Amino acid sequence: MKPSQHYLVLIGILLLGSFLRFWHLDFKPVWLDEVITALFSLGRNYYDVPLNEAFSLSVLDQVFTLKPETSCAQIAQTVSSQSVHPPLFFCWMHDWLRWVQAIPLSWVWKLRALPALLGVVAIAALYQLNRIAFFPAAGLTGAMLMAVSPFAVYLSQEARHYTLPMLLVTLALVGLYQVQTDLYQRQIRPGVWLGWIIVNSLGFYVHYFFLLAFAAQVATLLINILTFKSLPTLHPTPYTLHPRRALLAVTLATTAVCLAYLPWLPTFLSHISRPETDWMKPFEPDWMDTIAPLYQLPMGWILMVIALPVENQPLWVAVVMVLLMVLFTGWLLWQLSNRFGQLWSTPETHLATRMLAVFVLCVLLEFLAIVYVLGKDITSVPRYNFLYFPAVCALLGACLAQPGQALKRWHEAGKLFPAFQTLPRLKPTLIWIVLLVGVLSSTLVASNQVFLKPYQPEQVASNVQLDGEPARLMSMTYSDLQEVALGLSFALALHRQQDDRATDSQQAFAFIPRVPLTVPSSTAPLSTPGDRPQTTPSIDQVWQNLAALKQPLKPPFGLWMVAPGLKQNGYPPSLSLLQTSGRPIDCKIDRDRFYRLGIPYQLYRCNP
């Protein structure tokens, strides 16, 4: 391929990746984690949310409005006390929102636009990784894989800090390959080593799980240094290595990165023990939970190349979709197996192939250690595969760029039957199949058919809108700030789907605590672990707090009670509310309108 054609193909890949990431960017509802991103990035916090009082849905427009005067130091302080994440992504997101403030688009689009843009930059970074580590054609195929990967498109359309660390992991792998080459060639390029140190230092302040990626990089370096003698000796530039000097260089670089973590280390240690980290499914010592990670991990790998609708589908449809995904992935691996062997056995590509393979293996071992040693099933959350996804894309891209047996047979057939050479556009290549399947899968992701938002706020809002009442009050019980963010996601979805006939005065929302009301309603309780009352949260306390709640709606109206963790028989047959005037209202349960989409919610009908 001529250089001009090569770069035209690269531009086409970047444009395709951009289209898939920015298409329908604000189509999906905002879910719990994105609410957290929005609050902190807009310069706000949980104290801006009206708690323990009924408020109109129009108040949300003010809560989710940018405060441009908020500084990064203030955001860092908020994040350290009201969340369990490092601050850098939120600070950069705040600056981004200030830059795009004048664009006449929704705040949801602006919030998701930065991760989408970073996702496009990650495509270019992966191209550079494969171009340096392998060869230019591998750069194109690797970039193509990331551009159309449904997993990458899903992460890029999330207003979360996943595409940024994914980009940093890709850049770190570029530096890792160059650092490794320096060690083998007994040279030190200060710019390369300094860049690798800076990238790995920034990663910790973007996402704590980047520590796993950094540890895997160090382990990869050490393994390759200690097994240096197993490297092929036919490389055009013969490798030499001084093990002691190499270990010293790696130790100094690792120490520099660790020193960069020190300023935030106390906060990180305090975050580890925070209750917000308890959401991850605990690992139970029964045989089902024991084997679950062993099939959840491969399912995450499948979603990197193909994703078909499974959620909210009839059982037979879900089974067929899963079988199609498994069969396609198995066929793809079978097609690439001999190509991986070519990369491994070729001296020019062995070093990069082994580096990426060892890095992926180290991260997977870290995941399994977290599951079986720490008792946290990290494999149940596919999005955390962003840590090693760039390495997988790079390896698959390099394999695709290798001439497989099918292509060789095609050329041999062309020698015998020249007519075959007149149909180059119909040539059945593996690359085109992977490209088409990726585009189809990514289209399903962007159209909200795959990777549905957790707790499905839009479905909750749709069910609530069908209650047949002229007005409605949705009430969410909470015992921590995570549940407040979840309630805000439901409120935002309800506000978005608000019936044109319903006015602001007919739509209200309220957060009801599971603890006694010992603070003014304008102050947000439970903001930090130290502020938590010693009283054990109780559902009975919710009904007492609800009975004291003054709400502005006049009967008849519908009361929707959202109570995380409550079973259907835990809802009482009637509830009491107060009007603004202080007059009590009785609300009767509607047993036919109970739903559970991860979170239970029940309708009560309030009549005069």
Side-chain angles (χ1 to χ4, degrees), residues 463-489:
N463 292 337
V464 168
Q465 293 280 13
L466 297 176
D467 58 9
E469 295 289 350
R472 62 186 59 88
L473 167 67
M474 177 177 276
S475 182
M476 172 84 181
T477 71
Y478 74 97
S479 57
D480 55 43
L481 298 180
Q482 293 281 94
E483 292 178 346
V484 172
L486 177 61
L488 286 173
S489 71

mmCIF file of all heavy atoms in Angstrom, residues 463-489:
data_model
loop_
_atom_site.group_PDB
_atom_site.id
_atom_site.type_symbol
_atom_site.label_atom_id
_atom_site.label_comp_id
_atom_site.label_asym_id
_atom_site.label_seq_id
_atom_site.Cartn_x
_atom_site.Cartn_y
_atom_site.Cartn_z
ATOM 1 N N ASN A 463 -42.732 2.788 33.059
ATOM 2 C CA ASN A 463 -43.729 2.116 33.889
ATOM 3 C C ASN A 463 -44.458 3.100 34.795
ATOM 4 O O ASN A 463 -45.676 2.999 35.000
ATOM 5 C CB ASN A 463 -43.061 1.030 34.735
ATOM 6 C CG ASN A 463 -42.555 -0.130 33.904
ATOM 7 O OD1 ASN A 463 -43.029 -0.366 32.788
ATOM 8 N ND2 ASN A 463 -41.576 -0.858 34.425
ATOM 9 N N VAL A 464 -43.727 4.053 35.324
ATOM 10 C CA VAL A 464 -44.334 5.054 36.207
ATOM 11 C C VAL A 464 -45.323 5.921 35.441
ATOM 12 O O VAL A 464 -46.408 6.260 35.942
ATOM 13 C CB VAL A 464 -43.237 5.917 36.866
ATOM 14 C CG1 VAL A 464 -43.837 7.139 37.539
ATOM 15 C CG2 VAL A 464 -42.445 5.095 37.874
ATOM 16 N N GLN A 465 -44.992 6.277 34.208
ATOM 17 C CA GLN A 465 -45.860 7.154 33.415
ATOM 18 C C GLN A 465 -47.188 6.494 33.072
ATOM 19 O O GLN A 465 -48.154 7.171 32.713
ATOM 20 C CB GLN A 465 -45.147 7.551 32.118
ATOM 21 C CG GLN A 465 -43.927 8.434 32.314
ATOM 22 C CD GLN A 465 -44.278 9.894 32.541
ATOM 23 O OE1 GLN A 465 -45.430 10.240 32.788
ATOM 24 N NE2 GLN A 465 -43.281 10.745 32.470
ATOM 25 N N LEU A 466 -47.265 5.167 33.180
ATOM 26 C CA LEU A 466 -48.475 4.436 32.806
ATOM 27 C C LEU A 466 -49.399 4.179 33.991
ATOM 28 O O LEU A 466 -50.259 3.313 33.934
ATOM 29 C CB LEU A 466 -48.095 3.102 32.160
ATOM 30 C CG LEU A 466 -47.311 3.182 30.837
ATOM 31 C CD1 LEU A 466 -46.912 1.792 30.367
ATOM 32 C CD2 LEU A 466 -48.131 3.898 29.768
ATOM 33 N N ASP A 467 -49.238 4.939 35.090
ATOM 34 C CA ASP A 467 -50.055 4.676 36.278
ATOM 35 C C ASP A 467 -51.479 5.208 36.152
ATOM 36 O O ASP A 467 -52.337 4.900 36.972
ATOM 37 C CB ASP A 467 -49.388 5.257 37.529
ATOM 38 C CG ASP A 467 -49.151 6.762 37.434
ATOM 39 O OD1 ASP A 467 -49.644 7.392 36.488
ATOM 40 O OD2 ASP A 467 -48.442 7.298 38.306
ATOM 41 N N GLY A 468 -51.740 6.040 35.117
ATOM 42 C CA GLY A 468 -53.091 6.547 34.907
ATOM 43 C C GLY A 468 -53.492 7.667 35.841
ATOM 44 O O GLY A 468 -54.667 8.071 35.862
ATOM 45 N N GLU A 469 -52.568 8.213 36.617
ATOM 46 C CA GLU A 469 -52.881 9.282 37.567
ATOM 47 C C GLU A 469 -52.590 10.645 36.939
ATOM 48 O O GLU A 469 -51.669 10.781 36.124
ATOM 49 C CB GLU A 469 -52.058 9.124 38.837
ATOM 50 C CG GLU A 469 -52.374 7.877 39.639
ATOM 51 C CD GLU A 469 -53.733 7.960 40.328
ATOM 52 O OE1 GLU A 469 -54.344 9.047 40.331
ATOM 53 O OE2 GLU A 469 -54.198 6.926 40.840
ATOM 54 N N PRO A 470 -53.362 11.692 37.321
ATOM 55 C CA PRO A 470 -53.119 13.031 36.765
ATOM 56 C C PRO A 470 -51.830 13.662 37.299
ATOM 57 O O PRO A 470 -51.261 14.545 36.670
ATOM 58 C CB PRO A 470 -54.342 13.827 37.206
ATOM 59 C CG PRO A 470 -54.817 13.130 38.450
ATOM 60 C CD PRO A 470 -54.519 11.680 38.238
ATOM 61 N N ALA A 471 -51.387 13.229 38.469
ATOM 62 C CA ALA A 471 -50.145 13.745 39.065
ATOM 63 C C ALA A 471 -49.470 12.598 39.802
ATOM 64 O O ALA A 471 -50.098 11.589 40.132
ATOM 65 C CB ALA A 471 -50.448 14.898 40.019
ATOM 66 N N ARG A 472 -48.187 12.763 40.062
ATOM 67 C CA ARG A 472 -47.475 11.673 40.730
ATOM 68 C C ARG A 472 -46.303 12.214 41.551
ATOM 69 O O ARG A 472 -45.685 13.220 41.207
ATOM 70 C CB ARG A 472 -46.983 10.641 39.720
ATOM 71 C CG ARG A 472 -45.995 11.139 38.696
ATOM 72 C CD ARG A 472 -45.691 10.060 37.664
ATOM 73 N NE ARG A 472 -46.876 9.616 36.973
ATOM 74 C CZ ARG A 472 -47.353 10.196 35.861
ATOM 75 N NH1 ARG A 472 -46.742 11.252 35.361
ATOM 76 N NH2 ARG A 472 -48.423 9.742 35.286
ATOM 77 N N LEU A 473 -46.034 11.495 42.615
ATOM 78 C CA LEU A 473 -44.875 11.750 43.466
ATOM 79 C C LEU A 473 -44.059 10.472 43.532
ATOM 80 O O LEU A 473 -44.573 9.427 43.941
ATOM 81 C CB LEU A 473 -45.319 12.174 44.870
ATOM 82 C CG LEU A 473 -44.240 12.178 45.962
ATOM 83 C CD1 LEU A 473 -43.199 13.264 45.680
ATOM 84 C CD2 LEU A 473 -44.866 12.385 47.344
ATOM 85 N N MET A 474 -42.810 10.533 43.103
ATOM 86 C CA MET A 474 -41.914 9.386 43.251
ATOM 87 C C MET A 474 -41.027 9.630 44.453
ATOM 88 O O MET A 474 -40.401 10.688 44.563
ATOM 89 C CB MET A 474 -41.067 9.171 41.992
ATOM 90 C CG MET A 474 -40.066 8.031 42.130
ATOM 91 S SD MET A 474 -39.099 7.704 40.625
ATOM 92 C CE MET A 474 -40.239 6.645 39.750
ATOM 93 N N SER A 475 -40.976 8.657 45.342
ATOM 94 C CA SER A 475 -40.198 8.789 46.573
ATOM 95 C C SER A 475 -39.165 7.675 46.626
ATOM 96 O O SER A 475 -39.482 6.510 46.399
ATOM 97 C CB SER A 475 -41.125 8.721 47.789
ATOM 98 O OG SER A 475 -40.400 8.900 48.983
ATOM 99 N N MET A 476 -37.924 8.045 46.927
ATOM 100 C CA MET A 476 -36.815 7.097 46.943
ATOM 101 C C MET A 476 -36.223 7.032 48.347
ATOM 102 O O MET A 476 -35.824 8.057 48.912
ATOM 103 C CB MET A 476 -35.745 7.565 45.946
ATOM 104 C CG MET A 476 -34.446 6.788 45.988
ATOM 105 S SD MET A 476 -34.532 5.289 45.005
ATOM 106 C CE MET A 476 -32.892 4.623 45.280
ATOM 107 N N THR A 477 -36.192 5.826 48.927
ATOM 108 C CA THR A 477 -35.531 5.679 50.216
ATOM 109 C C THR A 477 -34.021 5.600 49.997
ATOM 110 O O THR A 477 -33.558 5.119 48.966
ATOM 111 C CB THR A 477 -36.011 4.412 50.940
ATOM 112 O OG1 THR A 477 -35.497 3.265 50.267
ATOM 113 C CG2 THR A 477 -37.527 4.328 50.948
ATOM 114 N N TYR A 478 -33.259 6.070 50.971
ATOM 115 C CA TYR A 478 -31.808 6.037 50.831
ATOM 116 C C TYR A 478 -31.153 5.921 52.202
ATOM 117 O O TYR A 478 -31.678 6.399 53.213
ATOM 118 C CB TYR A 478 -31.291 7.283 50.106
ATOM 119 C CG TYR A 478 -31.304 8.556 50.941
ATOM 120 C CD1 TYR A 478 -30.153 8.986 51.606
ATOM 121 C CD2 TYR A 478 -32.462 9.315 51.084
ATOM 122 C CE1 TYR A 478 -30.153 10.144 52.366
ATOM 123 C CE2 TYR A 478 -32.475 10.475 51.844
ATOM 124 C CZ TYR A 478 -31.323 10.885 52.482
ATOM 125 O OH TYR A 478 -31.328 12.025 53.247
ATOM 126 N N SER A 479 -30.012 5.252 52.199
ATOM 127 C CA SER A 479 -29.193 5.165 53.407
ATOM 128 C C SER A 479 -27.756 5.590 53.136
ATOM 129 O O SER A 479 -26.959 5.647 54.065
ATOM 130 C CB SER A 479 -29.212 3.733 53.963
ATOM 131 O OG SER A 479 -28.776 2.809 52.985
ATOM 132 N N ASP A 480 -27.409 5.850 51.858
ATOM 133 C CA ASP A 480 -26.077 6.343 51.521
ATOM 134 C C ASP A 480 -26.174 7.158 50.241
ATOM 135 O O ASP A 480 -27.235 7.248 49.610
ATOM 136 C CB ASP A 480 -25.075 5.203 51.374
ATOM 137 C CG ASP A 480 -25.519 4.151 50.359
ATOM 138 O OD1 ASP A 480 -26.003 4.530 49.282
ATOM 139 O OD2 ASP A 480 -25.395 2.948 50.651
ATOM 140 N N LEU A 481 -25.057 7.752 49.861
ATOM 141 C CA LEU A 481 -25.053 8.652 48.716
ATOM 142 C C LEU A 481 -25.173 7.908 47.390
ATOM 143 O O LEU A 481 -25.623 8.490 46.400
ATOM 144 C CB LEU A 481 -23.770 9.492 48.735
ATOM 145 C CG LEU A 481 -23.618 10.393 49.955
ATOM 146 C CD1 LEU A 481 -22.318 11.179 49.888
ATOM 147 C CD2 LEU A 481 -24.797 11.341 50.080
ATOM 148 N N GLN A 482 -24.782 6.645 47.344
ATOM 149 C CA GLN A 482 -24.955 5.859 46.129
ATOM 150 C C GLN A 482 -26.431 5.758 45.771
ATOM 151 O O GLN A 482 -26.819 5.854 44.602
ATOM 152 C CB GLN A 482 -24.370 4.459 46.311
ATOM 153 C CG GLN A 482 -22.862 4.422 46.466
ATOM 154 C CD GLN A 482 -22.141 4.563 45.138
ATOM 155 O OE1 GLN A 482 -21.772 5.662 44.744
ATOM 156 N NE2 GLN A 482 -21.960 3.468 44.459
ATOM 157 N N GLU A 483 -27.270 5.575 46.782
ATOM 158 C CA GLU A 483 -28.707 5.464 46.541
ATOM 159 C C GLU A 483 -29.307 6.810 46.167
ATOM 160 O O GLU A 483 -30.307 6.866 45.437
ATOM 161 C CB GLU A 483 -29.385 4.864 47.769
ATOM 162 C CG GLU A 483 -28.999 3.404 47.997
ATOM 163 C CD GLU A 483 -29.617 2.794 49.227
ATOM 164 O OE1 GLU A 483 -30.153 3.560 50.076
ATOM 165 O OE2 GLU A 483 -29.568 1.557 49.369
ATOM 166 N N VAL A 484 -28.717 7.895 46.640
ATOM 167 C CA VAL A 484 -29.165 9.215 46.194
ATOM 168 C C VAL A 484 -28.890 9.387 44.697
ATOM 169 O O VAL A 484 -29.735 9.862 43.937
ATOM 170 C CB VAL A 484 -28.470 10.331 46.999
ATOM 171 C CG1 VAL A 484 -28.776 11.704 46.408
ATOM 172 C CG2 VAL A 484 -28.911 10.285 48.461
ATOM 173 N N ALA A 485 -27.707 8.977 44.258
ATOM 174 C CA ALA A 485 -27.378 9.058 42.834
ATOM 175 C C ALA A 485 -28.300 8.175 42.011
ATOM 176 O O ALA A 485 -28.731 8.557 40.910
ATOM 177 C CB ALA A 485 -25.921 8.657 42.612
ATOM 178 N N LEU A 486 -28.649 6.998 42.529
ATOM 179 C CA LEU A 486 -29.578 6.125 41.824
ATOM 180 C C LEU A 486 -30.943 6.785 41.700
ATOM 181 O O LEU A 486 -31.574 6.745 40.632
ATOM 182 C CB LEU A 486 -29.691 4.793 42.574
ATOM 183 C CG LEU A 486 -30.686 3.775 42.009
ATOM 184 C CD1 LEU A 486 -30.300 3.375 40.596
ATOM 185 C CD2 LEU A 486 -30.773 2.547 42.913
ATOM 186 N N GLY A 487 -31.411 7.395 42.781
ATOM 187 C CA GLY A 487 -32.690 8.093 42.723
ATOM 188 C C GLY A 487 -32.689 9.242 41.728
ATOM 189 O O GLY A 487 -33.677 9.477 41.024
ATOM 190 N N LEU A 488 -31.563 9.957 41.646
ATOM 191 C CA LEU A 488 -31.460 11.049 40.672
ATOM 192 C C LEU A 488 -31.545 10.525 39.242
ATOM 193 O O LEU A 488 -32.099 11.199 38.370
ATOM 194 C CB LEU A 488 -30.151 11.804 40.879
ATOM 195 C CG LEU A 488 -30.086 12.727 42.094
ATOM 196 C CD1 LEU A 488 -28.676 13.285 42.277
ATOM 197 C CD2 LEU A 488 -31.078 13.878 41.957
ATOM 198 N N SER A 489 -31.007 9.336 38.996
ATOM 199 C CA SER A 489 -31.113 8.770 37.645
ATOM 200 C C SER A 489 -32.561 8.484 37.292
ATOM 201 O O SER A 489 -32.991 8.717 36.151
ATOM 202 C CB SER A 489 -30.269 7.493 37.542
ATOM 203 O OG SER A 489 -30.838 6.425 38.270
#
